[in-house]
């Protein structure tokens, strides 16, 4: 028999519904940690299915920092205005604005990076590796590794999340999709800082 207090504890840890928590605990023989993992797996699977659904509601959120020296606007979309008013969603949107302010991404995802930017980066990495006298096969592996590192720095979804660097922004997005039950998409952002671009 699963106690109500254990169900409540699991619910507080995961944000999942009461019946989902009870079911997960029953399936995991009352093991709280295994139940957390099970709920997460179920949420991630559901999030993948939701990613195909249209997200045309949401929020544009502003974040101003340093007494007005730094400003960010971010647009994050969801499926319904009900979720757009949800505290979980609004907290995620605010976190994304802070992420953009702190981590300075240039693009939302890898598929937004222009081909000419990728080619230019690859050329630089290739020349650096060749200047070190590396064999051709090693050069291409180095180029691939450095390009991947570059993309993890400039693409918002690839960056380590500022509040938990063990997780990527994509992980946090997936968790938020699972918790809200709707597809969520970071649509675009802009970042301004006094003195930049001069």
């Amino acid at each position: 028999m699963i106690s109500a207090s254990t169900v409540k504890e699991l619910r507080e840890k995961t944000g999942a519904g009461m019946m989902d928590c009870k079911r997960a605990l029953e399936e995991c023989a009352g093991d709280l940690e295994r139940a957390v993992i099970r709920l997460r797996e179920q949420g991630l699977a559901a999030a993948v299915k939701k990613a195909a659904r249209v997200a045309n509601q949401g929020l544009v959120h502003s974040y101003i920092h340093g007494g007005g020296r730094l400003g960010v606007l971010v647009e994050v979309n969801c499926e319904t205005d009900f979720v757009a008013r949800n505290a979980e969603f609004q907290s995620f949107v605010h976190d994304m604005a802070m992420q953009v302010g702190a981590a300075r991404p240039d693009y939302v995802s890898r598929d937004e990076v222009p081909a000419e930017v990728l080619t230019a980066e690859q050329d630089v990495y290739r020349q650096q590796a060749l200047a070190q006298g590396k064999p051709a096969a090693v050069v291409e592996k180095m180029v691939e590794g450095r390009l991947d590192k570059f993309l993890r720095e400039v693409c918002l979804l690839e960056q380590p999340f500022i509040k938990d660097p063990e997780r990527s922004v994509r992980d946090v997005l997936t968790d938020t999709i699972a918790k809200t039950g709707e597809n969520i998409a970071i649509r675009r952002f802009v970042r301004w800082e006094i003195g930049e671009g001069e």
Side-chain angles (χ1 to χ4, degrees), residues 47 49-56 77-80 83 89 173 177 180-185:
K49 287 181 194 167
K50 291 178 180 93
R53 300 195 318 220
V54 176
N56 59 7
N77 299 139
C78 58
E79 294 176 50
T80 64
V83 165
F89 178 79
L173 171 62
I177 290 170
T180 62
E182 287 195 4
N183 184 26
I184 295 171

Side-chain angles (χ1 to χ4, degrees), residues 143-170:
V143 168
E144 192 178 305
R146 289 178 180 171
L147 185 64
D148 187 61
K149 182 177 184 289
F150 166 76
L151 290 170
R152 280 186 275 122
E153 290 171 0
V154 300
C155 297
L156 176 63
L157 291 174
E158 308 280 331
Q159 293 179 334
F161 182 45
I162 55 171
K163 289 185 170 180
D164 181 3
E166 297 298 309
R167 304 170 69 216
S168 70
V169 169
R170 187 183 306 279

Side-chain angles (χ1 to χ4, degrees), residues 8 22 31 39 61 107 112 130 141 183:
K8 183 174 184 259
K22 187 170 191 268
D31 184 323
L39 283 171
H61 181 72
Y107 311 97
E112 287 185 3
L130 289 169
K141 284 210 180 299
N183 184 26

Side-chain angles (χ1 to χ4, degrees), residues 14-46:
T14 63
M18 194 170 323
M19 291 311 293
D20 291 332
C21 290
K22 187 170 191 268
R23 197 173 308 113
L25 283 162
E26 286 168 354
E27 290 169 4
C28 297
D31 184 323
L32 194 64
E33 294 311 311
R34 280 182 41 222
V36 168
I37 292 166
R38 181 151 190 89
L39 283 171
R40 225 170 145 215
E41 287 168 351
Q42 290 170 345
L44 295 179

